[in-house]
Amino acid sequence: MEATKKEHQLIVSVSPHVKTDETTSRIMWSVSLALLPAALAGVYFFGLRALFITALCIVSSAVFEQLYFRMVGKKSAVGDGSAFLTGLLLGMNMPASLWSFSPFTVHVPVIASFVAVVITKQLFGGLGFNVFNPALIGRAFALISWPKAMTIWSEPTAAFLAMDAKTTATPLGILKEEGVVKLLEVFGDKMSLYMHLLTGNRAGSIGETSAIAILIGGLFLLYRGYITWHIPVSFLGTAAVIAWVFGGKGALFTGDPIVHLISGGMMLGAWFMATDYVTSPSVRKGQIIFGIGCGFLTMLIRLKGGYPEGVMFAILIMNCFAPIIDRGVKSKVFGAVKQNTAKENK
Amino acid sequence: MNSEFIKLFELIISASLINNFVFTRFLGLCIFFGVSKKMETAVGMSITFTAVMMISAAMSWVIFNFIMIPLDITFLKIIVFIGVVAGLVQASDTIMRKVAPGLYYKLGIYLALISTNCIILAVPLVNAGEKYSLLQSIAFAFGSGIGFALAMIIMASIREKLELADVPAPFRGLPMAFVVTGLIALAFTGFSGLITL
Amino acid sequence: MSQSTTINIKDQILNGIVKENTIFKLALSLCPSIAVTNNLKNGVLMGIAVLFVQVMVNITISLLRNVIQPKVRLPIFMLVISGWVTVTDMTMAATVPDVYKQMGLYIQLIVAFASILARAEMFASKNKFIPSMADGIGMGIGFLFALTVISFFRELLGKGSLWGMPIVHTKPVLMFILPAGGFFAVGILMAFFNWIDARYMKKSSHAAH
């Protein structure tokens, strides 16, 4: 009781973001709402385990955030929904197969949540100051720490309650290892492949498979004005062009951009991860540069790199560059003035 | 000729991105953490550093291949290379002060620091170990310099942003810089496997 | 002067380990703190190599301090350091070839350690044989201590083993033996030592009141 009373008294003075507190939390919950279709699709295709993993990520994120606030004696901001959103995104980026007790891999989402919320967000000074997308760092940490557990992909549409399912490869994994011919063989023909990819009936992380569900959420955010078109369009556009020009076997201009756009984490990344306010440039021109960079790096890693999927790394690498991009775009206005004054001083 | 050119290009990409000295071989960290607090100094350091490193790599290569191998004194390479670096830094200090005082005024302080940067010594050592040709040695030095510059500039921009942030007290300053570097290194893991030399 | 010699030596050694710990406090010579610390054995051997070089350099410089011309002292210091590094380098190549294979480059790069040159310049060139040796031992042990702590945690967390022997049987956090994990480990340990320091200072200032 004491604590809550104190909180109310302190509301005005503690946080520098008081004015935008309400807006922040509204944005967080709206984005979470926009993710719902994709998350539901994931639960539909990968069963109850997907729900468990996602819930585990959300709960651990919130708990770690609360514990952190308690430890450093700050006013708790768990209610702003940012821990919920981070947990949800993190869970959607994990394979459902992690819900397994022998071998025991349930700790993976928990530790990943800790890395995401505490190390990537709170150590940097909390929401608004983090340089990297927390959910993506959590996932990258997990992928590199437990490479095997993080790449066991179970087949979709197993029985809903099943706690284990036949494992298989992701479409991008097949594309990388065995080529497009094998991919078509697995899914029948081109139309069937597209349909599987659009609906989300394919192996992958829980929330990344259903392109349509993600698109619905993305368009909702766009319509409500929570994101602008600059990053998703430049991201997907660049990736599509590169896939079309260089993605084919042998000759240029023979690649299939559609497969690349709706497979892997491309849709989820372009609409929900790259558009994160804090970790992407704030100026429109910068956002377009950011998106182009993401698209380029994603395709570079997919076509030439060691990993089958590059979205996560591409966004993280561009996160590093976001402050520089912001600086570069802005300094055209401010830099000129600064130089003049410097000269006058001399 | 064409394949030689591709090999040089791959060396530069590999040294700057995939096997970035700071993020994967942990060299030059003292300078990296010491000088990356402000963007301006980071840029100045990077330029000076890349230039000095390319010259020292070339000089070390000539000395190693035309003097040390014929005389069979390659075991002295540590002493000789550090001599080359120290001499070069001293010489460029003097020359710059005379010839380009304006440039010296801007970049001179970094020159003195360079001789304590282990990348500048590691590059000739790697060049000698891998038996690179003269052009390859210079390409490797150039790539390493670009990679170092990239790391410095990213780091400086992030640290400037962090200055405004409410970082928990024990992490303020260097520990946080380490965590940030770890996160950047994590992101750069994505480049692994891009080129297999 | 003479009656305080014994205290000085003890202080001098402690100074290097705690107050001016090369890695955690001065943040110098950081490269090997991550490069070779992904297992305990390499970390400890590297620490010993540095300890040896530091002590020998300090002794040599201290003995030569009256002979060296101040104007050319830096090149001579570098010569002495690189001489001892070459000795260490060749000894390790001969005695522990498997370890040397992994960290030979970093052994050679001890030459560029700012901390060694700094101690030679700031301490050994102005002090007698015994204090110089004590200073070298203190700084070297401080370095060894830091590398041991870092590599202890990294091997335990990253491989679940210590000195190559398996300890924990659950799936380890592979990250910690990789580059990125090394940066995390050092950053977190540094923050931990800062935190202890802050607490200690608070306590001692309370005691003073």
Side-chain angles (χ1 to χ4, degrees), chain A residues 15-34:
Chain A
S15 164
H17 288 282
V18 173
K19 215 169 50 185
T20 57
D21 253 5
E22 204 192 348
T23 341
T24 306
S25 109
R26 201 170 64 221
I27 293 171
M28 292 298 163
W29 293 114
S30 301
V31 177
S32 303
L33 182 70

Side-chain angles (χ1 to χ4, degrees), chain C residues 6 9 13 15 24-25 29 42 49 52-53 56-57 75 78 81 101 116 118 122 132 153 170 175 182:
Chain C
T6 46
I9 289 173
I13 293 181
N15 176 49
F24 293 132
K25 285 292 153 55
S29 314
N42 288 5
F52 174 75
V53 174
M56 296 319 281
V57 166
M78 289 315 294
I81 294 173
K101 222 176 178 181
I116 292 182
M122 279 157 47
S132 295
F153 280 111
T170 51
M175 175 67 116

Side-chain angles (χ1 to χ4, degrees), chain A:
Chain A
M1 278 314 273
E2 277 276 318
T4 45
K5 220 173 167 186
K6 220 172 189 178
E7 261 167 35
H8 286 299
Q9 284 169 349
L10 287 175
I11 269 178
V12 187
S13 63
V14 173
S15 164
H17 288 282
V18 173
K19 215 169 50 185
T20 57
D21 253 5
E22 204 192 348
T23 341
T24 306
S25 109
R26 201 170 64 221
I27 293 171
M28 292 298 163
W29 293 114
S30 301
V31 177
S32 303
L33 182 70
L35 278 168
L36 205 61
L40 288 178
V43 174
Y44 172 77
F45 284 114
F46 298 106
L48 203 53
R49 294 188 303 163
L51 185 64
F52 286 162
I53 288 291
T54 315
L56 185 61
C57 284
I58 294 172
V59 171
S60 6
S61 294
V63 168
F64 283 129
E65 178 138 297
Q66 180 66 33
L67 283 177
Y68 177 83
F69 284 131
R70 180 76 56 86
M71 219 175 91
V72 299
K74 266 197 202 170
K75 182 174 78 90
S76 170
V78 177
D80 70 8
S82 91
F84 181 92
L85 179 59
T86 299
L88 180 60
L89 271 174
L90 183 62
M92 290 173 70
N93 271 294
M94 300 243 158
S97 62
L98 280 178
W99 190 262
S100 139
F101 291 91
S102 70
F104 188 82
T105 52
V106 180
H107 62 294
V108 173
V110 179
I111 297 176
S113 304
F114 175 81
V115 173
V117 168
V118 176
I119 293 187
T120 319
K121 195 172 74 182
Q122 294 300 348
L123 280 193
F124 281 77
L127 183 65
F129 294 99
N130 49 314
V131 175
F132 297 93
N133 186 315
L136 283 179
I137 288 284
R139 170 159 199 243
F141 186 92
L143 178 68
I144 288 170
S145 293
W146 301 278
K148 233 174 166 178
M150 283 294 289
T151 47
I152 297 176
W153 311 104
S154 35
E155 262 184 6
T157 61
F160 183 70
L161 293 174
M163 280 302 137
D164 68 290
K166 261 200 356 228
T167 57
T168 176
T170 63
L172 278 180
I174 300 172
L175 198 60
K176 183 124 201 167
E177 299 300 324
E178 293 162 284
V180 69
V181 181
K182 173 79 181 174
L183 187 64
L184 288 176
E185 202 178 286
V186 171
F187 284 94
D189 58 3
K190 216 167 193 174
M191 255 352 263
S192 152
L193 171 66
Y194 287 167
M195 281 318 289
H196 276 83
L197 290 176
L198 278 174
T199 53
N201 187 2
R202 52 113 171 160
S205 299
I206 294 169
E208 71 175 20
T209 62
S210 175
I212 287 182
I214 296 168
L215 200 59
I216 292 172
L219 291 176
F220 167 76
L221 290 183
L222 203 57
Y223 169 71
R224 293 292 296 268
Y226 289 128
I227 60 172
T228 59
W229 57 269
H230 302 80
I231 291 177
V233 168
S234 55
F235 189 160
L236 296 172
T238 309
V241 170
I242 294 176
W244 175 53
V245 177
F246 297 105
K249 260 220 159 84
L252 295 177
F253 302 105
T254 56
D256 185 346
I258 299 174
V259 169
H260 274 286
L261 284 191
I262 58 181
S263 60
M266 184 78 89
M267 284 308 234
L268 189 63
W271 290 102
F272 287 94
M273 314 276 220
T275 51
D276 179 15
Y277 291 132
V278 185
T279 57
S280 62
S282 51
V283 185
R284 301 274 174 267
K285 216 198 264 163
Q287 290 176 344
I288 290 179
I289 299 172
F290 183 85
I292 292 174
C294 287
F296 171 76
L297 290 172
T298 302
M299 293 314 295
L300 182 73
I301 294 170
R302 277 190 184 179
L303 298 177
K304 297 270 171 215
Y307 289 93
E309 172 59 313
V311 171
M312 172 182 77
F313 288 120
I315 298 175
L316 285 177
I317 292 167
M318 289 314 289
N319 281 166
C320 303
F321 288 101
I324 304 174
I325 295 175
D326 253 345
R327 237 183 119 96
V329 177
K330 275 181 195 159
S331 69
K332 273 180 190 145
V333 187
F334 298 126
V337 181
K338 221 178 182 180
Q339 259 176 1
N340 285 341
T341 51
K343 264 179 198 158
E344 276 162 26
N345 284 345
K346 270 178 199 169

Side-chain angles (χ1 to χ4, degrees), chain A residues 68 74 119-120 122-125 128-132 137 140-141 144 278 297 300-301 304-307 313 316-317 320-321 323-324 327, chain B residues 39-40 105-106 150 153-154 157-158 160-162 164-168 171 176 179-180 183-184 186-195:
Chain A
Y68 177 83
K74 266 197 202 170
I119 293 187
T120 319
Q122 294 300 348
L123 280 193
F124 281 77
F129 294 99
N130 49 314
V131 175
F132 297 93
I137 288 284
F141 186 92
I144 288 170
V278 185
L297 290 172
L300 182 73
I301 294 170
K304 297 270 171 215
Y307 289 93
F313 288 120
L316 285 177
I317 292 167
C320 303
F321 288 101
I324 304 174
R327 237 183 119 96
Chain B
M39 184 59 98
E40 211 186 330
Y105 177 74
K106 263 192 180 153
L150 198 66
I153 289 167
I154 291 176
S157 70
I158 293 178
E160 283 188 355
K161 197 178 166 186
L162 273 178
L164 308 168
D166 178 25
V167 176
F171 275 92
M176 202 55 212
V179 173
V180 172
L183 294 177
I184 303 175
L186 186 57
F188 271 62
T189 330
F191 285 126
S192 65
L194 212 55
I195 291 172

